[in-house]
Amino acid sequence: RNYQRNEIEYIDRSLNSLLNQTYPKENTEIIIVDGMSTDGTREWLQNRIKELREKGISIKLLDKPKHILASGWNIGIKNATGEIVCRIDAHNEICPDYVRIGIKELVKREHGNVVCIGGVEQNIGYGIIGRSIANLYSSAFGVGNAIYRTGIDKPTFTDTAKCGLYWKWIFNKIGYFDESLKRNQDIALHSEILKNGYKFITHPDMKIKYYVRDTMSKFIKKAFGDGYWIMYSRKSYLRHKIPILFVLYLLSIPILLYLLDFSIVGLIPLGLYFFLAFYFAIKDGKFYSKFILPIFFFIFHVSYGLGSFKGLINRLIKRRLV
């Protein structure tokens, strides 16, 4: 279990979701990894952990000097004593049966090369902006075929897993999360695991509450950062590449119009994009989100694509310097 840093707004709900698990508490170990928080998170955790230990709960707090997600994940995994580890972050809450279902499914499929079982997100946001962002993350037009966001109705093999329960031995065999990456560490490692013939499953009964960023600035910053690291790390799937292709198309529109003698043909892809944006806004948006989701789709895809573009440039520069 890994907290990032300065998560005082989310840690209570997230920790309670672990404490409320139906899986036997005597077989459960909670490890909290904190990135040297300065907003009161650390003090809150110390007091809460003291209370829980007095009640017989196995829980401990570890330090994460590096302010990088992968560092915290690795510290937690290496210090875990069990055969199965579950990794969630401060913005997540898992349903009461999450661990029980995950362990049952993982053990049942042990001989089928399945090494990780993940759940399905229920995106939550507050206010007009936050709820619209939550709708975007739940839409296939927004996030592609990331079914851990858009949902499924039966256990399905996937290319990654959200808040996964892993057999711990897989990290010793394949390696741990890459601490040179600020983001996309899970995709990078999961790609290597898949290459070695192992499998991931997303299970519809394992629900995860995910609290999205609820301001435009945080939304754009996260989209840009995700796009950057997905391209810089060189580990991505098709859905991750589409935004950069869209941005390259937008940048090429003046040239296309010139070459096509300013024919409207050059704008057909853009028209198709907004047609789909409005269609999925009506289909996936809730209430007022239907009216503003097309704008959010565009901002998200452009921000992500620009981040990917910068990541690609920096990766090429780094390769030349090496």
Side-chain angles (χ1 to χ4, degrees), residues 128 132 135 274 277-297:
I128 294 176
S132 297
N135 290 167
F274 278 108
F278 279 101
Y279 171 79
F280 280 95
I282 294 171
K283 175 179 175 291
D284 299 330
K286 303 293 189 296
F287 305 111
Y288 46 75
S289 293
K290 296 180 184 293
F291 303 101
I292 58 178
L293 257 185
I295 299 171
F296 278 67
F297 282 138

PDB file of all heavy atoms in Angstrom, residues 128 132 135 274 277-297:
ATOM      1  N   ILE A 128     -18.851  20.960 -11.307  1.00  0.00           N
ATOM      2  CA  ILE A 128     -19.069  20.786 -12.747  1.00  0.00           C
ATOM      3  C   ILE A 128     -17.821  20.235 -13.418  1.00  0.00           C
ATOM      4  O   ILE A 128     -17.888  19.305 -14.225  1.00  0.00           O
ATOM      5  CB  ILE A 128     -19.476  22.128 -13.391  1.00  0.00           C
ATOM      6  CG1 ILE A 128     -20.838  22.575 -12.859  1.00  0.00           C
ATOM      7  CG2 ILE A 128     -19.512  21.999 -14.916  1.00  0.00           C
ATOM      8  CD1 ILE A 128     -21.273  23.935 -13.364  1.00  0.00           C
ATOM      9  N   SER A 132     -17.381  16.317 -14.825  1.00  0.00           N
ATOM     10  CA  SER A 132     -17.161  16.191 -16.271  1.00  0.00           C
ATOM     11  C   SER A 132     -15.891  15.401 -16.550  1.00  0.00           C
ATOM     12  O   SER A 132     -15.846  14.569 -17.460  1.00  0.00           O
ATOM     13  CB  SER A 132     -17.076  17.581 -16.909  1.00  0.00           C
ATOM     14  OG  SER A 132     -18.297  18.283 -16.754  1.00  0.00           O
ATOM     15  N   ASN A 135     -16.644  11.775 -16.002  1.00  0.00           N
ATOM     16  CA  ASN A 135     -17.350  11.222 -17.166  1.00  0.00           C
ATOM     17  C   ASN A 135     -16.390  10.955 -18.313  1.00  0.00           C
ATOM     18  O   ASN A 135     -16.506   9.949 -19.022  1.00  0.00           O
ATOM     19  CB  ASN A 135     -18.436  12.192 -17.634  1.00  0.00           C
ATOM     20  CG  ASN A 135     -19.608  12.305 -16.675  1.00  0.00           C
ATOM     21  OD1 ASN A 135     -20.437  13.196 -16.786  1.00  0.00           O
ATOM     22  ND2 ASN A 135     -19.680  11.409 -15.692  1.00  0.00           N
ATOM     23  N   PHE A 274     -14.998  15.936 -33.951  1.00  0.00           N
ATOM     24  CA  PHE A 274     -16.014  16.626 -33.162  1.00  0.00           C
ATOM     25  C   PHE A 274     -17.374  15.953 -33.253  1.00  0.00           C
ATOM     26  O   PHE A 274     -18.167  16.014 -32.305  1.00  0.00           O
ATOM     27  CB  PHE A 274     -16.092  18.098 -33.575  1.00  0.00           C
ATOM     28  CG  PHE A 274     -15.031  18.934 -32.916  1.00  0.00           C
ATOM     29  CD1 PHE A 274     -13.960  19.421 -33.649  1.00  0.00           C
ATOM     30  CD2 PHE A 274     -15.089  19.206 -31.568  1.00  0.00           C
ATOM     31  CE1 PHE A 274     -12.968  20.184 -33.042  1.00  0.00           C
ATOM     32  CE2 PHE A 274     -14.116  19.962 -30.942  1.00  0.00           C
ATOM     33  CZ  PHE A 274     -13.055  20.448 -31.678  1.00  0.00           C
ATOM     34  N   ALA A 277     -16.972  13.342 -30.721  1.00  0.00           N
ATOM     35  CA  ALA A 277     -16.916  13.971 -29.403  1.00  0.00           C
ATOM     36  C   ALA A 277     -18.329  14.295 -28.910  1.00  0.00           C
ATOM     37  O   ALA A 277     -18.671  14.039 -27.751  1.00  0.00           O
ATOM     38  CB  ALA A 277     -16.062  15.230 -29.452  1.00  0.00           C
ATOM     39  N   PHE A 278     -19.162  14.853 -29.789  1.00  0.00           N
ATOM     40  CA  PHE A 278     -20.535  15.184 -29.397  1.00  0.00           C
ATOM     41  C   PHE A 278     -21.368  13.926 -29.185  1.00  0.00           C
ATOM     42  O   PHE A 278     -22.187  13.862 -28.266  1.00  0.00           O
ATOM     43  CB  PHE A 278     -21.186  16.073 -30.463  1.00  0.00           C
ATOM     44  CG  PHE A 278     -20.813  17.518 -30.341  1.00  0.00           C
ATOM     45  CD1 PHE A 278     -19.855  18.072 -31.164  1.00  0.00           C
ATOM     46  CD2 PHE A 278     -21.406  18.327 -29.369  1.00  0.00           C
ATOM     47  CE1 PHE A 278     -19.492  19.413 -31.043  1.00  0.00           C
ATOM     48  CE2 PHE A 278     -21.055  19.658 -29.241  1.00  0.00           C
ATOM     49  CZ  PHE A 278     -20.097  20.211 -30.079  1.00  0.00           C
ATOM     50  N   TYR A 279     -21.136  12.911 -30.020  1.00  0.00           N
ATOM     51  CA  TYR A 279     -21.872  11.655 -29.872  1.00  0.00           C
ATOM     52  C   TYR A 279     -21.592  11.007 -28.513  1.00  0.00           C
ATOM     53  O   TYR A 279     -22.512  10.619 -27.786  1.00  0.00           O
ATOM     54  CB  TYR A 279     -21.504  10.682 -30.998  1.00  0.00           C
ATOM     55  CG  TYR A 279     -22.055   9.285 -30.787  1.00  0.00           C
ATOM     56  CD1 TYR A 279     -23.383   8.980 -31.061  1.00  0.00           C
ATOM     57  CD2 TYR A 279     -21.229   8.266 -30.280  1.00  0.00           C
ATOM     58  CE1 TYR A 279     -23.891   7.698 -30.853  1.00  0.00           C
ATOM     59  CE2 TYR A 279     -21.725   6.995 -30.063  1.00  0.00           C
ATOM     60  CZ  TYR A 279     -23.054   6.711 -30.348  1.00  0.00           C
ATOM     61  OH  TYR A 279     -23.547   5.459 -30.130  1.00  0.00           O
ATOM     62  N   PHE A 280     -20.299  10.894 -28.166  1.00  0.00           N
ATOM     63  CA  PHE A 280     -19.938  10.249 -26.904  1.00  0.00           C
ATOM     64  C   PHE A 280     -20.251  11.132 -25.701  1.00  0.00           C
ATOM     65  O   PHE A 280     -20.456  10.627 -24.595  1.00  0.00           O
ATOM     66  CB  PHE A 280     -18.468   9.831 -26.918  1.00  0.00           C
ATOM     67  CG  PHE A 280     -18.213   8.559 -27.668  1.00  0.00           C
ATOM     68  CD1 PHE A 280     -17.818   8.585 -28.997  1.00  0.00           C
ATOM     69  CD2 PHE A 280     -18.400   7.333 -27.050  1.00  0.00           C
ATOM     70  CE1 PHE A 280     -17.594   7.406 -29.693  1.00  0.00           C
ATOM     71  CE2 PHE A 280     -18.189   6.149 -27.743  1.00  0.00           C
ATOM     72  CZ  PHE A 280     -17.787   6.185 -29.066  1.00  0.00           C
ATOM     73  N   ALA A 281     -20.283  12.441 -25.908  1.00  0.00           N
ATOM     74  CA  ALA A 281     -20.690  13.332 -24.820  1.00  0.00           C
ATOM     75  C   ALA A 281     -22.142  13.082 -24.451  1.00  0.00           C
ATOM     76  O   ALA A 281     -22.508  13.024 -23.266  1.00  0.00           O
ATOM     77  CB  ALA A 281     -20.486  14.786 -25.238  1.00  0.00           C
ATOM     78  N   ILE A 282     -22.988  12.915 -25.464  1.00  0.00           N
ATOM     79  CA  ILE A 282     -24.407  12.623 -25.226  1.00  0.00           C
ATOM     80  C   ILE A 282     -24.567  11.222 -24.629  1.00  0.00           C
ATOM     81  O   ILE A 282     -25.359  11.002 -23.711  1.00  0.00           O
ATOM     82  CB  ILE A 282     -25.208  12.746 -26.532  1.00  0.00           C
ATOM     83  CG1 ILE A 282     -25.198  14.200 -27.010  1.00  0.00           C
ATOM     84  CG2 ILE A 282     -26.636  12.242 -26.338  1.00  0.00           C
ATOM     85  CD1 ILE A 282     -25.783  14.396 -28.394  1.00  0.00           C
ATOM     86  N   LYS A 283     -23.778  10.287 -25.124  1.00  0.00           N
ATOM     87  CA  LYS A 283     -23.880   8.892 -24.690  1.00  0.00           C
ATOM     88  C   LYS A 283     -23.344   8.688 -23.275  1.00  0.00           C
ATOM     89  O   LYS A 283     -23.970   8.001 -22.454  1.00  0.00           O
ATOM     90  CB  LYS A 283     -23.103   7.999 -25.664  1.00  0.00           C
ATOM     91  CG  LYS A 283     -23.026   6.533 -25.273  1.00  0.00           C
ATOM     92  CD  LYS A 283     -22.263   5.754 -26.332  1.00  0.00           C
ATOM     93  CE  LYS A 283     -22.063   4.298 -25.918  1.00  0.00           C
ATOM     94  NZ  LYS A 283     -21.117   4.149 -24.787  1.00  0.00           N
ATOM     95  N   ASP A 284     -22.181   9.265 -22.973  1.00  0.00           N
ATOM     96  CA  ASP A 284     -21.490   8.967 -21.716  1.00  0.00           C
ATOM     97  C   ASP A 284     -21.579  10.077 -20.666  1.00  0.00           C
ATOM     98  O   ASP A 284     -21.267   9.847 -19.497  1.00  0.00           O
ATOM     99  CB  ASP A 284     -20.000   8.680 -21.986  1.00  0.00           C
ATOM    100  CG  ASP A 284     -19.806   7.480 -22.901  1.00  0.00           C
ATOM    101  OD1 ASP A 284     -20.647   6.570 -22.865  1.00  0.00           O
ATOM    102  OD2 ASP A 284     -18.811   7.460 -23.655  1.00  0.00           O
ATOM    103  N   GLY A 285     -21.984  11.280 -21.087  1.00  0.00           N
ATOM    104  CA  GLY A 285     -22.053  12.386 -20.144  1.00  0.00           C
ATOM    105  C   GLY A 285     -23.287  12.318 -19.266  1.00  0.00           C
ATOM    106  O   GLY A 285     -24.321  11.787 -19.670  1.00  0.00           O
ATOM    107  N   LYS A 286     -23.162  12.850 -18.080  1.00  0.00           N
ATOM    108  CA  LYS A 286     -24.289  12.900 -17.146  1.00  0.00           C
ATOM    109  C   LYS A 286     -24.764  14.351 -16.999  1.00  0.00           C
ATOM    110  O   LYS A 286     -23.985  15.240 -16.677  1.00  0.00           O
ATOM    111  CB  LYS A 286     -23.869  12.365 -15.774  1.00  0.00           C
ATOM    112  CG  LYS A 286     -23.324  10.943 -15.814  1.00  0.00           C
ATOM    113  CD  LYS A 286     -24.404   9.935 -16.198  1.00  0.00           C
ATOM    114  CE  LYS A 286     -23.902   8.510 -16.019  1.00  0.00           C
ATOM    115  NZ  LYS A 286     -22.778   8.149 -16.898  1.00  0.00           N
ATOM    116  N   PHE A 287     -26.023  14.576 -17.280  1.00  0.00           N
ATOM    117  CA  PHE A 287     -26.653  15.880 -17.102  1.00  0.00           C
ATOM    118  C   PHE A 287     -25.902  16.967 -17.880  1.00  0.00           C
ATOM    119  O   PHE A 287     -25.740  16.875 -19.086  1.00  0.00           O
ATOM    120  CB  PHE A 287     -26.771  16.222 -15.613  1.00  0.00           C
ATOM    121  CG  PHE A 287     -27.503  15.168 -14.827  1.00  0.00           C
ATOM    122  CD1 PHE A 287     -26.830  14.382 -13.902  1.00  0.00           C
ATOM    123  CD2 PHE A 287     -28.842  14.926 -15.049  1.00  0.00           C
ATOM    124  CE1 PHE A 287     -27.497  13.387 -13.191  1.00  0.00           C
ATOM    125  CE2 PHE A 287     -29.522  13.939 -14.338  1.00  0.00           C
ATOM    126  CZ  PHE A 287     -28.836  13.176 -13.422  1.00  0.00           C
ATOM    127  N   TYR A 288     -25.412  17.992 -17.164  1.00  0.00           N
ATOM    128  CA  TYR A 288     -24.776  19.135 -17.816  1.00  0.00           C
ATOM    129  C   TYR A 288     -23.460  18.763 -18.498  1.00  0.00           C
ATOM    130  O   TYR A 288     -22.987  19.478 -19.376  1.00  0.00           O
ATOM    131  CB  TYR A 288     -24.515  20.250 -16.794  1.00  0.00           C
ATOM    132  CG  TYR A 288     -23.916  19.771 -15.505  1.00  0.00           C
ATOM    133  CD1 TYR A 288     -22.584  19.401 -15.427  1.00  0.00           C
ATOM    134  CD2 TYR A 288     -24.703  19.662 -14.371  1.00  0.00           C
ATOM    135  CE1 TYR A 288     -22.038  18.939 -14.251  1.00  0.00           C
ATOM    136  CE2 TYR A 288     -24.170  19.196 -13.183  1.00  0.00           C
ATOM    137  CZ  TYR A 288     -22.827  18.833 -13.127  1.00  0.00           C
ATOM    138  OH  TYR A 288     -22.299  18.376 -11.954  1.00  0.00           O
ATOM    139  N   SER A 289     -22.860  17.649 -18.107  1.00  0.00           N
ATOM    140  CA  SER A 289     -21.603  17.230 -18.725  1.00  0.00           C
ATOM    141  C   SER A 289     -21.768  16.976 -20.222  1.00  0.00           C
ATOM    142  O   SER A 289     -20.810  17.103 -20.988  1.00  0.00           O
ATOM    143  CB  SER A 289     -21.065  15.958 -18.049  1.00  0.00           C
ATOM    144  OG  SER A 289     -20.687  16.215 -16.722  1.00  0.00           O
ATOM    145  N   LYS A 290     -22.976  16.619 -20.635  1.00  0.00           N
ATOM    146  CA  LYS A 290     -23.215  16.369 -22.044  1.00  0.00           C
ATOM    147  C   LYS A 290     -22.884  17.592 -22.900  1.00  0.00           C
ATOM    148  O   LYS A 290     -22.500  17.461 -24.065  1.00  0.00           O
ATOM    149  CB  LYS A 290     -24.687  15.982 -22.264  1.00  0.00           C
ATOM    150  CG  LYS A 290     -25.111  14.678 -21.605  1.00  0.00           C
ATOM    151  CD  LYS A 290     -26.569  14.388 -21.867  1.00  0.00           C
ATOM    152  CE  LYS A 290     -27.052  13.140 -21.132  1.00  0.00           C
ATOM    153  NZ  LYS A 290     -26.435  11.914 -21.625  1.00  0.00           N
ATOM    154  N   PHE A 291     -23.043  18.779 -22.323  1.00  0.00           N
ATOM    155  CA  PHE A 291     -22.847  20.008 -23.092  1.00  0.00           C
ATOM    156  C   PHE A 291     -21.386  20.467 -23.128  1.00  0.00           C
ATOM    157  O   PHE A 291     -20.981  21.154 -24.060  1.00  0.00           O
ATOM    158  CB  PHE A 291     -23.726  21.122 -22.511  1.00  0.00           C
ATOM    159  CG  PHE A 291     -25.189  20.780 -22.481  1.00  0.00           C
ATOM    160  CD1 PHE A 291     -25.795  20.359 -21.303  1.00  0.00           C
ATOM    161  CD2 PHE A 291     -25.956  20.841 -23.635  1.00  0.00           C
ATOM    162  CE1 PHE A 291     -27.140  20.024 -21.268  1.00  0.00           C
ATOM    163  CE2 PHE A 291     -27.304  20.515 -23.611  1.00  0.00           C
ATOM    164  CZ  PHE A 291     -27.903  20.110 -22.423  1.00  0.00           C
ATOM    165  N   ILE A 292     -20.623  20.095 -22.101  1.00  0.00           N
ATOM    166  CA  ILE A 292     -19.239  20.584 -22.056  1.00  0.00           C
ATOM    167  C   ILE A 292     -18.189  19.491 -22.287  1.00  0.00           C
ATOM    168  O   ILE A 292     -17.021  19.794 -22.461  1.00  0.00           O
ATOM    169  CB  ILE A 292     -18.939  21.286 -20.709  1.00  0.00           C
ATOM    170  CG1 ILE A 292     -19.192  20.341 -19.538  1.00  0.00           C
ATOM    171  CG2 ILE A 292     -19.778  22.533 -20.577  1.00  0.00           C
ATOM    172  CD1 ILE A 292     -18.861  20.959 -18.194  1.00  0.00           C
ATOM    173  N   LEU A 293     -18.623  18.230 -22.325  1.00  0.00           N
ATOM    174  CA  LEU A 293     -17.666  17.144 -22.542  1.00  0.00           C
ATOM    175  C   LEU A 293     -16.896  17.258 -23.856  1.00  0.00           C
ATOM    176  O   LEU A 293     -15.696  16.936 -23.887  1.00  0.00           O
ATOM    177  CB  LEU A 293     -18.369  15.785 -22.475  1.00  0.00           C
ATOM    178  CG  LEU A 293     -18.182  14.972 -21.193  1.00  0.00           C
ATOM    179  CD1 LEU A 293     -18.837  13.606 -21.334  1.00  0.00           C
ATOM    180  CD2 LEU A 293     -16.713  14.809 -20.854  1.00  0.00           C
ATOM    181  N   PRO A 294     -17.506  17.682 -24.973  1.00  0.00           N
ATOM    182  CA  PRO A 294     -16.707  17.820 -26.203  1.00  0.00           C
ATOM    183  C   PRO A 294     -15.482  18.708 -26.021  1.00  0.00           C
ATOM    184  O   PRO A 294     -14.403  18.420 -26.556  1.00  0.00           O
ATOM    185  CB  PRO A 294     -17.707  18.429 -27.197  1.00  0.00           C
ATOM    186  CG  PRO A 294     -19.035  17.945 -26.724  1.00  0.00           C
ATOM    187  CD  PRO A 294     -18.930  17.955 -25.223  1.00  0.00           C
ATOM    188  N   ILE A 295     -15.632  19.789 -25.257  1.00  0.00           N
ATOM    189  CA  ILE A 295     -14.508  20.683 -24.989  1.00  0.00           C
ATOM    190  C   ILE A 295     -13.470  19.971 -24.131  1.00  0.00           C
ATOM    191  O   ILE A 295     -12.255  20.066 -24.377  1.00  0.00           O
ATOM    192  CB  ILE A 295     -14.988  21.964 -24.285  1.00  0.00           C
ATOM    193  CG1 ILE A 295     -15.985  22.704 -25.181  1.00  0.00           C
ATOM    194  CG2 ILE A 295     -13.822  22.864 -23.919  1.00  0.00           C
ATOM    195  CD1 ILE A 295     -16.672  23.869 -24.493  1.00  0.00           C
ATOM    196  N   PHE A 296     -13.927  19.218 -23.128  1.00  0.00           N
ATOM    197  CA  PHE A 296     -13.009  18.492 -22.258  1.00  0.00           C
ATOM    198  C   PHE A 296     -12.270  17.399 -23.022  1.00  0.00           C
ATOM    199  O   PHE A 296     -11.078  17.174 -22.794  1.00  0.00           O
ATOM    200  CB  PHE A 296     -13.772  17.895 -21.064  1.00  0.00           C
ATOM    201  CG  PHE A 296     -14.012  18.860 -19.957  1.00  0.00           C
ATOM    202  CD1 PHE A 296     -14.852  19.951 -20.141  1.00  0.00           C
ATOM    203  CD2 PHE A 296     -13.410  18.712 -18.726  1.00  0.00           C
ATOM    204  CE1 PHE A 296     -15.087  20.865 -19.121  1.00  0.00           C
ATOM    205  CE2 PHE A 296     -13.628  19.609 -17.703  1.00  0.00           C
ATOM    206  CZ  PHE A 296     -14.474  20.689 -17.897  1.00  0.00           C
ATOM    207  N   PHE A 297     -12.981  16.710 -23.918  1.00  0.00           N
ATOM    208  CA  PHE A 297     -12.325  15.711 -24.761  1.00  0.00           C
ATOM    209  C   PHE A 297     -11.166  16.354 -25.524  1.00  0.00           C
ATOM    210  O   PHE A 297     -10.057  15.813 -25.552  1.00  0.00           O
ATOM    211  CB  PHE A 297     -13.317  15.115 -25.774  1.00  0.00           C
ATOM    212  CG  PHE A 297     -14.253  14.082 -25.206  1.00  0.00           C
ATOM    213  CD1 PHE A 297     -15.592  14.084 -25.573  1.00  0.00           C
ATOM    214  CD2 PHE A 297     -13.810  13.113 -24.323  1.00  0.00           C
ATOM    215  CE1 PHE A 297     -16.472  13.133 -25.067  1.00  0.00           C
ATOM    216  CE2 PHE A 297     -14.676  12.158 -23.811  1.00  0.00           C
ATOM    217  CZ  PHE A 297     -16.008  12.170 -24.183  1.00  0.00           C
TER     218      PHE A 297
END
